[in-house]
Structures are given as C-alpha cells and as structure tokens.
Amino acid sequence: MCGIIGYIGNRKAYPVLIKGLKRLEYRGYDSAGIALLNGRTAIYKKKGKVSELEEYVKEVDTSGTVGIGHTRWATHGEPNDLNAHPHHSEKGLFTIIHNGIIENYADLKQSLTDQGISFYSETDTEVLANLIEYIYTTQKVSVEIAVRLALQKVIGAYGLVVLSNEEPDMVIAARRSSPLVIGLGDGEYFIASDATPIVEYTDRVIYMNNNDVALIKRDELVLKNLANDILEPDIQTIDLGISEIEKHGYDHFMLKEIFEQPRSIQDTFRGRIKLDTNEIRLGGLYAVKDQLVHAKRIVIIACGTSWHAGLVGEYLLEDLARIPVEVEYASEFRYRNPMIGPEDVVLAISQSGETADTLAAIQLARDAGALVLGICNVAGSSISRETHAGVYTHAGPEIGVASTKAFTAQVTVLTMMAIMIGSEKGLLDKKRSATLIRELNEIPDKIEKILEQNEIFRHIAAIYKDVTNALYLGRGVSFPVALEGALKLKEISYIHAEGYPAAEMKHGPIALIDEQMPVVFIATHDKSYDKIVSNIQEVKARKGNVIAIVTQGDETIRKMADHVIEIPKTDEVLLAIPSVIPLQLIAYHIAVMRGCNVDQPRNLAKSVTVE
C-alpha cells in the first residue's frame, strides 16, 4: 500500500531516494519522507506529495550514502507531518519505514508506555521503532538480534527497513505479507516495495519471502529467517525497462495505459495462440492441465477490478468449458467457512500479485487441499509464488491507480483458458475454436479503431461532467463490464455510479431515472439484444439520457439513444474486452474536466497490501 525505497552503497543516496519516491507515489501519496544516515540520522518528512518533500529539503544537507524513503497511505493516524514516515525511536537509535499493519500495536504500545517510553505520533510504526530500541537497550543485544526479537512479538503484516546509528554501515530489511524486493548492484544494494524505482540501476533482484530478514552492507548481503537460519538468496533477473514506467508524452499514466491496450493484449496472447494449428498453449498451466480440464468446480477469488474480470471469466468458463464457476470477493471468502476441497480448482486474480485478502484466501484454499492457480501481472510477486501454477498477463507495469489494461489482459487470459479447456473437453469443435482464436487475434486492431474515437468520448464527457449519479446496465457478459465502467467513473471522478444487470433495472434502479440521470447501456449485438432495446425504451419513457455502446452499423438503437458509440462487430464471447474501452475513456475525460487527480485519486492506493 505504501511505497518503500532504501539504498546503501557508494553513490549519494538522496537522488536515488527522491527519484524512487516519485516512481512509488502511486502506492501512497498522503505524505512522504526520507532519512539519511551520515554520522547521525537526519529525517525530513512532509504531508502531501513527493514534490512538497522535495521543495522542503532544498536548503538542507542531503549528503550521505545510506538512506531510506517512504510514501504513505494512511492507516493509523491522519496524514500529517508527524505521522509521516520515517519514524524514529525515543532515543533516536533506530529509524524505520514500514508498509503494513501491526495488529497488536495497542498492546505493545501500552507495555512500552508502562516502561516510561513516550510517543510523538499516532502510528503503529513508531511503536515498532521503540520496541526495537527497548529490546536493544535492555537486553544488551546486537542491532540485528534486537530487530529479530522485536519482530517475533509482532502480529500483523510488515515490509520494513531499519537504520541504526549504532550500526551505520548496515541496513536491515524484513518482510511478512507485504512485498519487498532487494536490487543487487556493484558494491551497492537497493530495497523497494516493488521493482519500479530500481530498474534503472540493476536488473538483478531478490524477492523477499515471508519472515525473511536481510542484513545489508555495501559489500555483503546475508539473508536469514526470524529463527536465525541463514538462507540461500534466489537471485532473479527482471525484464522491466525504464521506458515502461515513463509517461511518454501522455498527460497521465491512466491515459497512456488505456492507449497501450492493443499492445498489452497482444503481449498477453503472444506465443500462446497458434493460428496455424488453431491451438492455445498456456505453458504455466501445462503441469496441471488435466486437473483443470476435469475440475468439478472452479472458484475465482479476487478484489475490485480483478473481481469484475472474474465475473467475465465465469460466463466464459461455464459457456465454453461447461464447468461450474463461483466468483468470490477474496475479503469475504477468507472470513467465512467456505466449502472447498481437493476436487476444486481455486483461481486467484490480482494485478499486483500482492493483494492481502487474495493472498489470505489462497492460503485457506491450499490448506483445504484445492488446486490453486493464479493470474497476475507481476513476475516474482507473492501470488505467483504461493499458487501451484498460473499465467502471467504480460500487461506491463500499470502505474495509474485505476486499473485499465490489467482488466483487459486478465479477461484475455480467462478467454484463452476457457477456449483451451472447452477444446480439450471436446465441447468446442475445431471450426468454433478456430473462429474464437482468430477473433481474439483481431481484438487489438479493433481496439485501435475504438481509440480513434477519443474525441467522441471527450465530447460525451463534457456533457455529463457535472452529474451527481450515473447508471450502467448490461446483460450477460456485458453486466461485469457495466460494473467495471461504474467503478472507473466513481473512483477517479468521485461521481456516484452503479452497475446493474439490465434485467434488474425494474427491481429498483428505475426509480432513480429522470432527465438528470445518464444511463450507460452496453447494447452490442448478442443473444440479449432485443431485451436491451426494450430496456432502453423504458429509460427513454422516463426522460433518462441514454449513452449506448453498440455494434458498428446499428441503426435501431441510434434512433432511440442520446449518444451512440460504435465498436467493431465482435463475437459475443469476446465483447467484454472492446466494450470496456469507451467506458474507461469517458471516465478519464470526466475526471480530468472535474479537476481530479486521475492517477492518484483520493483515499485510494494501487495495491491493497493491508486489510
């Protein structure tokens, strides 16, 4: 949820930290801070954006070759200068940055208060800093042991980096349920909550596992667990270029990522669909394909936009593969007693691969004996390591908080899975399978044609930018698209919007419709087309404003709707992918026109790594 960056080496730390914080700001932007260790630890932190921190430190000494930095998404304590990270212990011996939640912080704080220790902030992180210092000073142990003993008392999640005035040439990093990656350079090391701030310095990384503790010096890295066992680091090479995390002339990352979708979808199916043989090969599922084909049930677990992709997957897998599918919010799945067992396949979907609720649900499913598969976008992420097998989406880094290209890439993977399983089971004949594979291959070109209509989307946005409510309606596979369109509008423009199955309109939402209410219909040609036409007529009879996404050439709906957006004719199995593009762009333009921070909407963060 928050962003972490750390450095130890021979170069000046401050430029590495401040540049890293700018690249991590999508993970948290309530406040930002840095700590530089140069004989003593100097801490500079400020409420607001990283740019405000940068302005604040212009006149101070930023020398030093060891340092840590943090962008915060507030959990304990409101966003202000005092609650911003880094936090120091009472005597100033320890300085830490932390991503996660210390669930037993109140008990720990009371215990430390009883020992006469005072606190200056409202955060759980400061409690941990003081706990480390208390153990260090009272038990007369080393810095390393003090950190490990303190972490053994902690209940909760943490990605943690520690500096100590007592050991100025060492940085300690620790992880439990909150991601940390260590970059390896020549006589230098980088620590970060994800790889984006370190790719320009190194492509060799170590993804820390739960309960790992790393002792990092300029010329040495020792990896241990909390029990003090020395571990062999798994050094990986990352394939991520610096150009992938720049805007390249776009006003916002979200706009760039919307326009990247033809490429990201193609990258997701590249090498996996064989047009010459009409086959789909998902190498990540090869070892478990038989179990997948013969599954009695598939349970999809996800959150947010990934949950909407899962709903699309439910339609596809049941239609093409004839396997019963349930789609669960991971946050609900983990807190009830679900009926899950060895005959089930659990499919976890997450852009980041670090969503806390989804990871907890994965563990529950594994403990129940289910085959657990993953669909995620980030190589080396926790979900990719905690699942039995899975598929990467290859969408590339998604920096904008509102997910766009991740959704279409996830649906692309689910489509390939459904076609593959249906073909393996003999439910799709060769002609139908070949048609779907060919149509999937054509989707990127069709999206390019939709993106060419951007001025139309901008025009519609200008008309409706000041509304207070909006309704999105669809049937079949278009219902999850309606949910996703509504989510995009409310999360970046702060307009209340709801998605509904169009057939449910008469069961409540129709009461809201008047001349002020825009109603967005996904009304493409499919087996529900005539029903959608009737729904549009019902809305127009009540003076609602209709924005309709239709199949190119549709004249029937054009005569009824206030605004018509045409998309190329597409097999109805694949309609979810192209039909969501106009909804993404309309939401984007409305948010920009309302003066909203599109890439960093209020109260939201990119990766929900805490409950």
Side-chain angles (χ1 to χ4, degrees):
M1 185 76 64
C2 307
I4 283 175
I5 180 72
Y7 176 78
I8 180 169
N10 297 311
R11 71 177 80 202
K12 193 174 180 182
Y14 174 74
V16 176
L17 300 179
I18 204 71
K19 187 182 292 185
L21 291 181
K22 290 176 181 178
R23 291 191 176 136
L24 286 168
E25 196 165 20
Y26 71 99
R27 296 181 66 101
Y29 34 90
D30 292 336
S31 59
I34 58 170
L36 296 165
L37 184 52
N38 186 22
R40 63 176 184 85
T41 303
I43 298 175
Y44 308 104
K45 50 187 183 176
K46 200 72 177 168
K47 176 186 175 182
K49 308 293 185 184
V50 174
S51 58
E52 295 175 61
L53 171 68
E54 192 173 23
E55 185 68 25
Y56 177 62
V57 301
K58 270 186 175 179
E59 305 302 322
V60 303
D61 179 12
T62 57
S63 58
T65 57
V66 180
I68 54 178
H70 189 270
T71 60
R72 182 175 185 242
W73 188 87
T75 53
H76 294 76
E78 67 178 72
N80 59 33
D81 292 354
L82 282 179
N83 289 329
H85 294 217
H87 285 284
H88 60 81
S89 56
E90 186 182 43
K91 295 182 174 65
L93 301 182
F94 292 88
T95 302
I96 70 175
I97 51 177
H98 165 227
N99 184 11
I101 290 179
I102 308 302
E103 295 176 8
N104 62 334
Y105 87 99
D107 291 340
L108 294 172
K109 185 174 184 177
Q110 185 59 56
S111 177
L112 293 168
T113 302
D114 291 344
Q115 300 300 318
I117 295 171
S118 58
F119 295 82
Y120 63 86
S121 78
E122 304 167 87
T123 68
D124 54 340
T125 303
E126 187 194 357
V127 175
L128 186 50
N130 277 318
L131 178 61
I132 295 170
E133 183 177 81
Y134 178 75
I135 292 172
Y136 177 78
T137 56
T138 59
Q139 298 190 25
K140 308 298 183 184
V141 294
S142 67
V143 167
E144 172 201 342
I145 293 175
V147 171
R148 282 197 292 105
L149 290 177
L151 293 179
Q152 289 171 10
K153 297 179 180 291
V154 163
I155 299 171
Y158 54 79
L160 184 74
V161 187
V162 183
L163 298 182
S164 175
N165 293 339
E166 307 291 280
E167 291 272 4
D169 293 316
M170 181 173 68
V171 177
I172 298 179
R175 178 246 163 100
R176 181 192 294 162
S177 302
S178 190
L180 277 183
V181 59
I182 302 172
L184 286 67
D186 184 10
E188 59 184 357
Y189 290 93
F190 308 83
I191 308 103
S193 44
D194 66 48
T196 55
I198 64 178
V199 291
E200 70 178 275
Y201 307 109
T202 181
D203 62 356
R204 299 171 66 240
V205 300
I206 298 166
Y207 292 101
M208 295 184 70
N209 293 311
N210 278 344
N211 299 315
D212 280 359
V213 178
L215 312 174
I216 307 168
K217 299 182 179 180
R218 288 177 176 81
D219 56 356
E220 181 185 34
L221 184 148
V222 177
L223 192 65
K224 296 184 176 182
N225 59 24
L226 287 179
N228 203 31
D229 301 315
I230 294 180
L231 307 174
E232 184 66 30
D234 178 16
I235 300 173
Q236 300 184 34
T237 301
I238 54 173
D239 183 19
L240 176 62
I242 190 68
S243 64
E244 294 183 72
I245 55 175
E246 303 291 348
K247 288 182 184 175
H248 292 294
Y250 288 94
D251 290 338
H252 299 93
F253 280 109
M254 182 181 177
L255 185 62
K256 170 177 175 275
E257 286 154 10
I258 291 171
F259 274 81
E260 282 178 341
Q261 286 175 106
R263 190 189 73 188
S264 61
I265 291 168
Q266 192 163 47
D267 286 346
T268 294
F269 67 61
R270 189 191 309 277
R272 292 167 168 171
I273 61 175
K274 309 292 182 182
L275 293 173
D276 54 343
T277 58
N278 293 319
E279 290 180 278
I280 289 179
R281 299 175 185 171
L282 298 174
L285 301 179
Y286 181 79
V288 298
K289 188 163 71 171
D290 286 346
Q291 289 172 270
L292 189 53
V293 167
H294 295 102
K296 301 297 184 185
R297 181 178 65 148
I298 296 175
V299 179
I300 296 175
I301 53 175
C303 300
T305 286
S306 296
W307 186 76
H308 296 159
L311 289 176
V312 176
E314 178 181 21
Y315 283 95
L316 301 181
L317 288 161
E318 291 193 342
D319 181 17
L320 304 181
R322 304 307 294 158
I323 299 174
V325 177
E326 297 175 17
V327 185
E328 300 265 7
Y329 284 112
S331 54
E332 291 297 315
F333 182 83
R334 65 178 291 196
Y335 283 116
R336 59 184 180 82
N337 188 20
M339 294 182 64
I340 204 88
E343 291 189 332
D344 294 316
V345 173
V346 173
L347 178 59
I349 307 175
S350 167
Q351 188 283 137
S352 67
E354 301 292 351
T355 308
D357 285 320
T358 306
L359 282 165
I362 286 171
Q363 189 57 56
L364 188 155
R366 284 180 63 109
D367 291 345
L371 173 66
V372 184
L373 309 177
I375 296 175
C376 70
N377 189 39
V378 181
S381 62
S382 296
I383 284 178
S384 69
R385 288 177 285 149
E386 295 295 329
T387 49
H388 295 110
V391 183
Y392 286 120
T393 54
H394 298 309
E398 189 177 66
I399 305 299
V401 167
S403 188
T404 52
K405 65 178 180 174
F407 174 78
T408 51
Q410 289 165 353
V411 173
T412 299
V413 169
L414 289 162
T415 304
M416 290 190 289
M417 288 180 65
I419 296 171
M420 181 188 75
I421 297 169
S423 298
E424 288 286 331
K425 294 177 74 169
L427 299 171
L428 294 177
D429 59 35
K430 290 185 178 180
K431 182 178 179 182
R432 178 62 173 148
S433 178
T435 298
L436 290 174
I437 291 171
R438 185 182 68 252
E439 286 262 351
L440 181 59
N441 187 63
E442 292 171 357
I443 287 291
D445 290 338
K446 292 179 179 180
I447 291 178
E448 291 283 9
K449 290 181 171 60
I450 295 169
L451 294 172
E452 290 171 2
Q453 302 179 62
N454 190 32
E455 284 306 312
I456 295 175
F457 309 144
R458 194 194 310 270
H459 172 71
I460 293 172
I463 296 171
Y464 295 104
K465 65 181 175 63
D466 295 321
V467 301
T468 54
N469 298 282
L471 191 61
Y472 289 68
L473 301 173
R475 286 177 179 254
V477 76
S478 295
F479 162 51
V481 177
L483 290 173
E484 178 61 13
L487 176 62
K488 289 286 95 60
L489 184 67
K490 60 188 163 190
E491 68 183 341
I492 63 171
S493 74
Y494 319 139
I495 294 172
H496 174 254
E498 295 295 334
Y500 269 89
E504 290 295 302
M505 182 180 67
K506 292 190 288 291
H507 294 270
I510 198 168
L512 299 171
I513 294 172
D514 59 20
E515 61 273 13
Q516 304 300 320
M517 170 73 83
V519 184
V520 181
F521 280 93
I522 297 91
T524 48
H525 267 292
D526 59 22
K527 55 180 172 284
S528 301
Y529 178 77
D530 291 338
K531 302 292 186 183
I532 283 283
V533 170
S534 297
N535 293 139
I536 292 174
Q537 290 171 327
E538 290 164 349
V539 170
K540 291 306 298 177
R542 288 155 182 83
K543 303 186 186 306
N545 296 294
V546 171
I547 303 166
I549 297 172
V550 303
T551 302
Q552 191 169 0
D554 187 313
E555 294 299 328
T556 301
I557 293 177
R558 183 174 292 278
K559 295 173 184 176
M560 295 184 285
D562 297 273
H563 311 277
V564 168
I565 297 166
E566 292 189 338
I567 66 173
K569 184 178 180 181
T570 305
D571 191 292
E572 65 180 276
V573 167
L574 302 170
L575 274 171
I577 304 175
S579 61
V580 79
I581 307 299
L583 305 184
Q584 294 172 346
L585 279 166
I586 289 171
Y588 168 80
H589 290 304
I590 286 176
V592 170
M593 291 173 187
R594 289 168 66 91
C596 301
N597 189 332
V598 173
D599 285 337
Q600 298 170 355
R602 68 187 182 202
N603 302 332
L604 296 178
K606 182 64 180 174
S607 179
V608 183
T609 58
V610 297
E611 292 185 65

